[in-house]
Amino acid sequence: MDLLTVSRAQGDVEALADHLRDRRVVALVGAGCSTESGIPDYRGPESIKRERRPIQYQEFVGRPAARVRYWARSMIGWPRIRAARPNAGHFALAAMEGSGLLHGVITQNVDGLHQAAGSRRVVELHGSLDRVRCLDCGGVVSRTQYQSQLLDLNTAWIERFTIQSGPGDAEAAPDGDAELPAEAMEQFAVPPCDHCGGVMKPDVVFFGENVPAETVASAWELFEAGDALLVLGSSLTVYSGRRFIYRAQKEGVPIAIVNVGPTRADEAAVVKVEGRTGEVLPRLHHLLLQS
């Protein structure tokens, strides 16, 4: 029985540790690493229970009503993202980096939890919700500052929907916003850029938007510094993450996966452990320290 068969049959973290030992490991991290911190995802086991159409880049750019809908939801959903804390998986990755067992993290997440846990070498492939950027002049402000502007401009709106203290009964959504009824979009005001009056957008990559070239370059630089790719909590449905699988296959870089449910690289993996990252990674770190 080969290593792939053993690890799939037993969920063998020891086989994973044996594979990664004495290698320069780079982690490719998806939303499954943050679900244990209370941030929902789009494609995990629970997401199939929700019908949720994420905002599209062209829709946000081309339709003022779409921007109103996004920012109204985001104003309510942001406190949940801001309050989220790293889980055991994030802390294990930071500890592995500190121990010299992990070279760095390429993350598809936009919640900043890797840095909050202490990870130092992180490429945020899809940006960060903690920043807001003007599409016209390129100016950047913190999400905290922009949240204050949203709240100040929409005092009456907030009182109308009695949601001053946070999300209330609004259902959390994966991209840091919340589900709200259609009538909640009426009379909501979106602050323009303080500098040029332009359109403000969260500094994240929306569906249908390209990852910035400089971010891709940074991700490839980190990838090339490793000799093993560890995929964590990602179904690899989105090409921006799957591209690293194609490159690893082409160059003979071994791929290991920890995920709940199937991924689009299962057949390419030399090790696949079915499990939550918050449970598997602390155990993996312990085993690697013993070598």
Side-chain angles (χ1 to χ4, degrees):
M1 184 180 292
D2 62 19
L3 180 61
L4 176 61
T5 304
V6 170
S7 64
R8 281 184 174 167
Q10 300 177 3
D12 194 348
V13 184
E14 292 186 359
L16 179 63
D18 289 342
H19 168 71
L20 297 178
R21 190 169 286 116
D22 299 322
R23 292 185 181 272
R24 297 188 305 277
V25 181
V26 173
L28 175 62
V29 181
C33 191
S34 290
T35 54
E36 294 170 68
S37 292
I39 298 175
D41 62 0
Y42 281 109
R43 299 182 178 87
E46 294 300 314
S47 63
I48 59 173
K49 301 176 183 178
R50 304 185 303 264
E51 287 198 12
R52 176 77 173 104
R53 190 178 71 85
I55 186 74
Q56 303 288 315
Y57 176 71
Q58 291 299 334
E59 182 184 19
F60 184 93
V61 171
R63 295 182 58 236
R67 295 195 290 273
V68 168
R69 183 175 70 247
Y70 176 85
W71 283 118
R73 291 171 167 178
S74 180
M75 187 182 75
I76 305 308
W78 170 246
R80 185 186 297 266
I81 299 296
R82 184 180 57 194
R85 294 294 178 263
N87 60 59
H90 295 108
F91 285 118
L93 285 173
M96 288 169 65
E97 183 184 359
S99 302
L101 303 171
L102 181 74
H103 191 71
V105 172
I106 302 170
T107 184
Q108 297 173 276
N109 299 332
V110 296
D111 48 45
L113 293 179
H114 292 293
Q115 295 91 330
S119 289
R120 298 184 301 274
R121 194 176 293 112
V122 180
V123 176
E124 295 176 311
L125 202 58
H126 294 161
S128 174
L129 282 171
D130 195 43
R131 303 182 298 267
V132 182
R133 183 181 298 274
C134 176
L135 293 178
D136 294 271
C137 72
V140 177
V141 299
S142 72
R143 183 63 176 82
T144 299
Q145 177 181 335
Y146 198 68
Q147 180 77 356
S148 295
Q149 293 178 266
L150 286 165
L151 293 170
D152 289 344
L153 272 181
N154 293 284
T155 303
W157 187 92
I158 294 170
E159 291 176 352
R160 177 184 174 189
F161 287 95
T162 62
I163 47 178
Q164 297 96 321
S165 61
D169 294 329
E171 180 185 353
D175 44 7
D177 63 6
E179 295 290 4
L180 293 171
E183 60 268 23
M185 308 309 161
E186 299 173 6
Q187 301 178 345
F188 186 86
V190 178
C193 174
D194 283 340
H195 299 289
C196 73
V199 172
M200 300 297 285
K201 173 184 173 292
D203 197 17
V204 299
V205 178
F206 281 165
F207 283 80
E209 182 179 5
N210 293 325
V211 177
E214 59 271 21
T215 302
V216 175
S218 296
W220 282 128
E221 182 180 359
L222 181 53
F223 172 88
E224 290 163 1
D227 59 11
L229 184 64
L230 175 60
V231 179
L232 301 168
S234 176
S235 63
L236 297 168
T237 302
V238 178
Y239 173 75
S240 61
R242 200 166 65 250
R243 72 179 82 190
F244 298 98
I245 299 300
Y246 297 148
R247 175 84 171 268
Q249 289 180 286
K250 181 179 179 180
E251 298 183 357
V253 175
I255 299 163
I257 299 174
V258 177
N259 194 55
V260 176
T263 80
R264 293 187 64 173
D266 284 358
E267 298 307 317
V270 294
V271 181
K272 166 73 184 293
V273 176
E274 184 80 18
R276 297 184 181 277
T277 56
E279 298 170 355
V280 173
L281 289 178
R283 173 65 176 159
L284 174 64
H285 183 215
H286 175 74
L287 290 171
L288 290 174
L289 283 176
Q290 292 180 333
S291 59

